[in-house]
Amino acid sequence: MGELYFSVPQMAYSMPAIATLVVGVVLLCVRRRRLAPRAWTLGVAGLAVLLAGALADLVYVALLPQLIGGGGLREAKALLAATGLLFLTLHVVGMSLIIAALLATGGPKQPWDQPAPEPRPELG
């Protein structure tokens, strides 16, 4: 029962992030035609990596009491360090892909999609 006092709030804390990432993937899929293919691919990949990290974190938090319960302090520290590094790496890769997607949506250097206005006649 004591494990539930730890696991349930942590799992509830993860749910909004997972829901946000799922909605983000759905919105990108709906707007696929309006986005550049490279931007869309990078955006979906970034959100997928972040979603995989959030789901792995959810499973990890649910199993953490069982994983630490049988081992000693040294094993628990090693497990926490390894999983922390894994989740940090997933977060950095996911955010990097999303930033790359935003940069890939940049428009052309010319500010106008139409021809330049004709010059005005000189006065007087």
Side-chain angles (χ1 to χ4, degrees):
M1 186 67 166
E3 296 171 0
L4 289 177
Y5 288 119
F6 170 77
S7 297
V8 172
Q10 294 296 324
M11 291 168 52
Y13 179 74
S14 298
M15 289 303 177
I18 291 171
T20 302
L21 293 168
V22 169
V23 168
V25 170
V26 169
L27 289 174
L28 274 178
C29 289
V30 168
R31 308 260 314 177
R32 182 178 187 166
R33 291 185 190 162
R34 300 191 72 175
L35 296 171
R38 181 178 168 124
W40 181 83
T41 303
L42 289 168
V44 169
L47 289 175
V49 168
L50 289 173
L51 183 60
L55 290 172
D57 185 48
L58 179 69
V59 171
Y60 170 71
V61 166
L63 297 177
L64 188 60
Q66 289 85 16
L67 294 172
I68 300 180
L73 183 60
R74 176 174 279 173
E75 289 83 13
K77 286 181 180 179
L79 175 68
L80 292 171
T83 55
L85 182 62
L86 171 70
F87 294 136
L88 173 66
T89 303
L90 287 172
H91 186 76
V92 168
V93 169
M95 291 303 294
S96 299
L97 288 168
I98 289 175
I99 291 169
L102 289 171
L103 294 175
T105 61
K109 288 186 178 182
Q110 285 191 350
W112 304 101
D113 287 337
Q114 55 193 353
E118 298 201 17
R120 294 189 303 185
E122 293 294 323
L123 294 176

